[in-house]
Amino acid sequence: MNAAADASAQRVASGASSAEQSAAAPCIRVVGLHKRFGDQEVLKGISFDVHRGTVLSMIGASGSGKSTLLRCINRLETPSAGDILIEGESVCLRNGKPRSMADVNRIRRDLGMVFQQFNLWPHLTVLQNIMEAPRSVRGLSRAEARAVAQECLDRVHLGDKADAYPARLSGGQQQRVAIARALAMRPKVMLFDEATSSLDPELTEEVLAVMRDLAREGTTMIVVTHEMAFAREVSDHVMFLHNGLVDEQGPPADLFSAPRSERLRQFLTRAKA
Ligand SMILES: Nc1ncnc2c1ncn2[C@@H]1O[C@H](COP(=O)(O)OP(=O)(O)O)[C@@H](O)[C@H]1O
Ligand SMILES: [Mg+2]
């Protein structure tokens, strides 16, 4: 069995059966998504589903719209047209009217976001950084937040760094703390936007290892990445974006071994170089 099939078999074993998964509403459904900035249309009609416990990777050249797509999902941007549903609930509209800011904030709590920049508070310890949102947003007590934070820190293999300040950690360790911070909100989905792009190769691997664990444990994930070997290994589905459209998509084995689109072929050749 290849690594991807092995990972998906483990997910099925640890969670719902594939029949149950396909019967359930998709965790995320994107329908006819458009986004324009002024007269530039950056997303030109994108639709896809992400089912619970699966990993979608998005690849594509710089400027193809990957970050904008993630930012629409967590409503850091407002789509120009189309809709995004999280477990059946629109992040855009309610009874035909735009969502209130309060609604947007509530929906956003269920999405764990990991960016290229870690943005940890320098004046807080690692544990305090992770406790912050569960305390202030979820309203957990200090003891509850501490327990959740420590558990999430253990998951990224940094249990012994709870009392360290971010500046004392490597970039890879800081990004793992940022992942723990997102996990501490118990998100329905984890969104990663080039989480390893600012890291040296040797630090990249430790972050990918954590992401690989999350995938294996059945975390629903959308991953924007330049790490093609990683995308191939962990993804259930891969989308190649080009100029704001899905140029090609499918299972990783098909996309990476037998790309149909000439543009994807060229992109993969460049990515290997
Ligand atoms: N806030 C913004 N205002 C104007 N243009 C933007 C904004 N955000 C992104 N863009 C433009 O949208 C296009 C896609 O950007 P982006 O989604 O960041 O692509 P990717 O993440 O694939 O590199 C780019 O041409 C970029 O300049
Ligand atoms: Mg980007």
Side-chain angles (χ1 to χ4, degrees):
M1 195 163 16
N2 69 24
D6 187 35
S8 99
Q10 286 185 32
R11 267 198 294 282
V12 169
S14 67
S17 74
S18 53
E20 278 166 354
Q21 273 174 7
S22 59
C27 197
I28 294 195
R29 165 161 282 180
V30 173
V31 193
L33 182 66
H34 290 252
K35 176 64 187 177
R36 56 169 68 244
F37 295 107
D39 54 13
Q40 187 195 6
E41 191 167 44
V42 171
L43 301 178
K44 300 173 179 165
I46 292 191
S47 301
F48 62 90
D49 287 349
V50 181
H51 289 277
R52 209 159 295 128
T54 67
V55 178
L56 167 68
S57 289
M58 287 200 287
I59 60 174
S62 176
S64 56
K66 306 179 299 295
S67 294
T68 303
L69 178 47
L70 285 190
R71 290 168 60 82
C72 285
I73 292 174
N74 72 3
R75 286 301 315 271
L76 289 170
E77 300 287 356
T78 301
S80 307
D83 203 355
I84 298 160
L85 300 115
I86 298 174
E87 294 191 337
E89 185 184 25
S90 168
V91 305
C92 300
L93 298 171
R94 180 157 181 254
N95 300 330
K97 296 211 184 77
R99 286 271 179 199
S100 67
M101 208 51 219
D103 275 0
V104 168
N105 284 331
R106 175 179 57 74
I107 292 163
R108 210 180 265 157
R109 278 176 218 165
D110 289 333
L111 304 170
M113 186 85 192
V114 180
F115 301 93
Q116 195 173 322
Q117 304 304 328
F118 329 127
N119 294 322
L120 301 174
W121 295 108
H123 62 290
L124 298 180
T125 65
V126 161
L127 203 72
Q128 287 166 341
N129 263 283
I130 304 173
M131 289 169 63
E132 217 280 320
R135 288 272 288 147
S136 64
V137 181
R138 292 255 191 246
L140 265 56
S141 72
R142 184 174 296 278
E144 287 167 335
R146 180 176 294 276
V148 170
Q150 186 64 53
E151 175 210 312
C152 293
L153 206 49
D154 290 340
R155 278 180 80 181
V156 301
H157 312 296
L158 288 173
D160 57 338
K161 298 289 185 195
D163 298 323
Y165 284 88
R168 303 299 298 269
L169 304 183
S170 74
Q173 289 173 329
Q174 290 188 49
Q175 188 59 302
R176 284 149 65 197
V177 172
I179 293 173
R181 177 183 55 189
L183 291 173
M185 290 294 282
R186 307 267 190 240
K188 290 175 178 159
V189 189
M190 289 285 284
L191 309 175
F192 293 88
D193 193 356
E194 296 194 20
T196 60
S197 289
S198 69
L199 301 174
D200 295 337
E202 68 270 23
L203 300 180
T204 292
E205 195 38 52
E206 69 184 52
V207 173
L208 293 181
V210 164
M211 293 169 66
R212 207 176 276 127
D213 286 348
L214 295 178
R216 208 175 286 132
E217 290 159 12
T219 311
T220 310
M221 298 170 34
I222 302 182
V223 181
V224 171
T225 184
H226 289 306
E227 300 287 336
M228 295 302 139
F230 174 77
R232 182 181 190 137
E233 178 194 337
V234 305
S235 310
D236 297 283
H237 197 80
V238 181
M239 284 186 355
F240 170 60
L241 259 63
H242 177 79
N243 273 343
L245 284 168
V246 179
D247 191 59
E248 184 166 342
Q249 60 176 313
D254 295 359
L255 233 85
F256 289 112
S257 303
R260 282 167 283 134
S261 133
E262 181 56 32
R263 273 192 291 261
L264 174 55
R265 222 169 290 151
Q266 284 171 9
F267 174 80
L268 292 175
T269 305
R270 278 197 301 274
K272 267 187 221 126

